[in-house]
């Protein structure tokens, strides 16, 4: 039972490049989330999904896109990377009362 | 979600109890109080939650004030591994569909 798995763990992107952060879970949870965490700050919600085929914007969705074609996978897409997107990204699932987080993807945009 | 207020940092000695405070004066009657912690270079992990009564589990205890405007996370015997950022979060009864709102939390430093 791996829980929530994120890949890659680290990535350096050039300005304007695109990439997809992968997130997969094996707990059959309906609710999934993407957060970003800037240095010294708490986590901010980017997008969330309450089930396959359903996604919605969180607090900071600009510059990102998501899809949820299966219960297991919830990829986060950056289309035109900008330095402001340098951050640590966490994927999470939720089943009452507990959220489960992945180990994070550290992204640097230069 | 209602707002919580926590000290930026706290320091304690190894093997001593730690009391981490959280103020949530605007809490609604249906808000649960959750605590998560984030170890260095890891994602947050669930610690404990409660509604009105004090709660205990293998990781910690949660003491909730009678008026519910504040709560305290208690680590009974801190170890070096407990050094982390601790987040106090209020969650409504909506099932968590729209996620948890994280503040900056309390950075707990444990001295050997």
């Amino acid at each position: 039972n791996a829980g929530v798995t994120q890949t890659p763990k680290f990535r350096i992107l050039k300005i304007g490049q695109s990439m997809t952060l992968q997130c997969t879970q094996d707990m059959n949870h309906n609710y999934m989330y993407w957060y970003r965490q800037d240095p010294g700050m708490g986590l901010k919600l980017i997008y969330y999904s309450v089930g396959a085929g359903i996604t919605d914007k969180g607090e900071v969705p600009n510059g990102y896109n998501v899809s949820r074609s299966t219960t297991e996978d919830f990829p986060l897409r950056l289309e035109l990377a900008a330095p402001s997107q340098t951050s640590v990204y966490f994927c999470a699932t939720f089943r009452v009362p507990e959220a489960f987080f992945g180990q994070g993807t550290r992204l640097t945009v230069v | 979600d209602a707002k919580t207020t926590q000290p930026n940092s706290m320091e304690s000695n190894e093997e001593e109890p730690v009391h981490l405070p959280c103020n949530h004066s605007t809490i609604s009657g249906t808000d649960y109080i959750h605590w998560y912690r984030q170890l260095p270079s890891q994602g947050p992990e669930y610690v404990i939650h409660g509604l009105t009564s004090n709660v205990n589990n293998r990781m910690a205890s949660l003491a909730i004030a009678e008026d519910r405007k504040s709560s305290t996370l208690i680590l009974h015997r801190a170890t070096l591994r407990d050094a982390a950022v601790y987040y106090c979060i209020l969650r409504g009864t909506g099932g968590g569909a729209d996620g948890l709102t994280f503040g900056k939390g309390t950075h707990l430093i444990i001295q050997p």
Side-chain angles (χ1 to χ4, degrees):
Chain A
N1 194 342
V4 179
T5 302
Q6 291 183 236
T7 56
K9 287 187 169 50
F10 303 93
R11 182 74 185 268
I12 297 175
L13 273 185
K14 293 185 178 179
I15 295 171
Q17 285 185 323
S18 301
M19 77 163 294
T20 299
L21 283 66
Q22 301 291 346
C23 175
T24 188
Q25 54 113 348
D26 62 0
M27 297 177 286
N28 202 35
H29 291 171
N30 285 324
Y31 297 165
M32 293 189 74
Y33 308 87
W34 274 105
Y35 290 88
R36 61 175 286 173
Q37 185 175 34
D38 298 331
M41 305 295 286
L43 283 71
K44 292 188 177 179
L45 184 64
I46 305 171
Y47 270 95
Y48 66 97
S49 168
V50 299
I54 307 168
T55 63
D56 210 342
K57 296 178 180 179
E59 183 185 356
V60 290
N62 291 344
Y64 307 95
N65 278 300
V66 293
S67 60
R68 183 95 182 272
S69 56
T70 66
T71 299
E72 293 77 21
D73 299 306
F74 190 39
L76 178 72
R77 179 89 177 152
L78 283 71
E79 290 294 348
L80 290 169
S84 61
Q85 293 176 306
T86 293
S87 191
V88 181
Y89 292 84
F90 290 102
C91 178
T93 70
F94 184 85
R95 175 172 281 176
V96 176
E98 186 174 345
F100 300 86
F101 286 81
Q103 292 295 299
T105 295
R106 185 174 296 274
L107 176 66
T108 302
V109 182
V110 295
Chain B
D1 292 327
K3 185 177 171 59
T4 62
T5 303
Q6 300 177 251
N8 288 334
S9 66
M10 291 184 64
E11 200 166 311
S12 183
N13 295 320
E14 197 177 9
E15 299 187 4
E16 290 185 356
V18 179
H19 291 235
L20 295 164
C22 181
N23 287 318
H24 28 78
S25 58
T26 60
I27 190 170
S28 75
T30 55
D31 283 338
Y32 285 81
I33 302 158
H34 285 241
W35 284 82
Y36 282 75
R37 73 178 186 180
Q38 186 174 19
L39 301 172
S41 300
Q42 293 192 25
E45 63 176 349
Y46 169 84
V47 177
I48 200 167
H49 81 286
L51 183 62
T52 55
S53 304
N54 295 343
V55 184
N56 300 297
N57 67 19
R58 64 174 179 80
M59 290 182 71
S61 296
L62 176 60
I64 301 173
E66 199 169 327
D67 64 5
R68 301 209 328 124
K69 293 184 186 298
S70 66
S71 60
T72 302
L73 179 71
I74 303 165
L75 307 179
H76 294 286
R77 196 160 170 262
T79 69
L80 295 177
R81 199 191 172 279
D82 292 319
V85 178
Y86 287 78
Y87 298 99
C88 170
I89 298 168
L90 302 183
R91 181 182 68 83
T93 54
D98 55 352
L100 300 171
T101 300
F102 287 80
K104 292 185 180 181
T106 296
H107 183 200
L108 177 63
I109 300 164
I110 305 294
Q111 298 289 356

